């Protein structure tokens, strides 16, 4: 599912699973999908980061740098990410 436009050529997409929404970046020109290998629910307003939550054993909140998929933050037993909190 589309989650947010990151720039003119890229869309943050979510691949739904039983434990949460796995993030990916879709290049609309080349039609290539790059998986982020972590959860994604929303993108930051500048399109540089993604926040997501999910997990099988415990609910975790994660923030990823979209450019390279690097996890910059993870907190276990968290819920419900939102940028305006």
């Amino acid at each position: 599912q589309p989650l947010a436009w990151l720039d003119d050529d890229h869309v943050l997409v979510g691949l739904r699973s039983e434990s949460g929404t796995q993030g990916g970046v879709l290049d609309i020109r080349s039609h290539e999908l790059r998986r982020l290998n972590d959860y994604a629910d929303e993108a930051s307003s500048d399109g540089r980061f993604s926040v997501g939550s999910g997990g099988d054993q415990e609910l975790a909140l994660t923030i990823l740098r979209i450019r390279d998929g690097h996890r910059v933050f993870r907190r276990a037993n968290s819920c419900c990410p939102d940028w305006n909190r």
Side-chain angles (χ1 to χ4, degrees), residues 5-85:
W5 284 97
L6 302 173
D7 57 31
D8 291 340
D9 299 328
H10 299 91
V11 179
L12 178 66
V13 296
L15 309 166
R16 291 186 180 188
S17 70
E18 290 184 14
S19 58
T21 302
Q22 295 287 326
V25 177
L26 176 64
D27 184 319
I28 61 169
R29 292 186 191 258
S30 69
H31 301 201
E32 290 183 15
L33 177 66
R34 177 175 54 96
R35 295 193 64 161
L36 295 175
N37 297 321
D38 218 328
Y39 301 105
D41 294 313
E42 297 185 38
S44 62
S45 60
D46 61 5
R48 294 174 45 213
F49 297 93
S50 166
V51 64
S53 66
D56 290 329
Q57 303 298 321
E58 63 184 7
L59 190 61
L61 173 73
T62 58
I63 298 175
L64 300 176
R65 187 172 52 219
I66 292 176
R67 172 177 38 107
D68 58 3
H70 176 73
R71 183 188 296 159
V72 295
F73 178 83
R74 183 181 190 279
R75 175 72 64 183
N77 299 318
S78 303
C79 179
C80 314
D82 201 324
W83 286 107
N84 62 3
R85 288 188 184 164

